[in-house]
Amino acid sequence: MSGTGNARLPAGAGVENARPLAGPGIENARPLAGPGIENARPLTGRVAAISGATGGIGRAVARRLAADGARVVLLGRDEARLAAAWDDLSAASPLAEFHLRKIDIADAASTAAALAAIREAVGPVDVLIHCAGDVMPAPLLETADADWEAALGGKLLGTIRLTREVARDMAARRGGSIVFVNGAFAREPDPLFPAASTVVAALSAFAKAISRDLGASGVRVNAVNPGATETPLWHGLAEALGRRFGATAADVTGMAAAKSPLGRIGRPEDVADAIAFLASPAASHITGATLQVDGGASAAL
Ligand SMILES: NC(=O)c1ccc[n+]([C@@H]2O[C@H](COP(=O)([O-])OP(=O)(O)OC[C@H]3O[C@@H](n4cnc5c(N)ncnc54)[C@H](OP(=O)(O)O)[C@@H]3O)[C@@H](O)[C@H]2O)c1
């Protein structure tokens, strides 16, 4: 949000330092801070950047990583949505540290500028979580080149580029953790979603490939595959699928819930908990892994 004159707090190198309670002594006001207790918060002091932080899963991840002690940088394309996310998160976690930074991951210059600003104002990124993405039903014969260019040049290349630039710093500092939020289509490509299936399958392969390279530098790379999860994206999807098949969005959600042995669709917090584990030292010997967070909906081994 550089140069926007946002009045929240003084901007540092284009990243708002959005800590409402920052100041001498406040650091220690964290409820569990103190010798020995610090370790109870596995990400204490770590800088965690979250793309798509304005969305359902992204916000839940931000809240969860902040509770784990991380200094959280919210990334998103839209200033108003970013500000709304910051307001919600700060109200829910007043002692946590949230920063916000506008970024369009589809744009190389925007990505470079955002990372430079974060590095300068907050510090190098220790944890990177990729939550940015969208999905709409469009079988092959309904797609045009522009749809494929948007998917491949946007989410796919954007995620790869952001990963590469952050991984460069992580490798130089010999540590870091990256988590991709892919999706069930990565293992079970869906004819209604050929572009999204292609992108998440490619990102799964990418995550595995780079995990085998970056491990030697102490950087771990993992992924989660959410199933249907209660977020704004899911609501839009359920509406669109309902229109296509002459059903209501509630019917579509009911069918998705019925696919899970646990009988419900996911909550964003379910995905955030899995991501927090993979990002934490508790997963220090896990890299190149993918965790299904779909209530058992996928039948794949
Ligand atoms: N919810 C589900 O059922 C489900 C299931 C499987 C996988 N997923 C995946 O999980 C991730 C998070 O989904 P969600 O349910 O939290 O969705 P959401 O609520 O719609 O949030 C996604 C966020 O990503 C950002 N975004 C969307 N398209 C983007 C693009 N091309 N480039 C950069 N940013 C983009 C948007 O933020 P701004 O526009 O503000 O930047 C949006 O707020 C997505 O990748 C989604 O595909 C979700």
Side-chain angles (χ1 to χ4, degrees), residues 38-53:
E38 207 66 338
N39 295 336
R41 288 158 45 98
L43 295 179
T44 296
R46 301 285 183 201
V47 174
I50 302 167
S51 78

Side-chain angles (χ1 to χ4, degrees), residues 52 54-57 77 81 131-133 135 155 181-182 226-229 231-233:
T54 56
I57 292 173
R77 292 172 299 181
R81 284 198 294 274
C131 297
V135 188
K155 172 144 167 119
V181 180
N182 290 329
T229 305
T231 67
L233 180 147

Side-chain angles (χ1 to χ4, degrees), residues 51-59 75-79 81-82 103-106 130-135 150 154-155 181-185 196 200 224-235 237 265 268 271:
S51 78
T54 56
I57 292 173
R59 270 191 215 206
L75 302 175
R77 292 172 299 181
D78 182 90
E79 294 185 6
R81 284 198 294 274
L82 269 176
I103 184 176
D104 180 354
I105 62 168
H130 291 292
C131 297
D134 55 4
V135 188
K155 172 144 167 119
V181 180
N182 290 329
F185 300 158
V200 292
V224 295
N225 281 344
T229 305
E230 181 81 44
T231 67
L233 180 147
W234 173 259
H235 291 146
L237 205 51
I265 69 166
V271 183

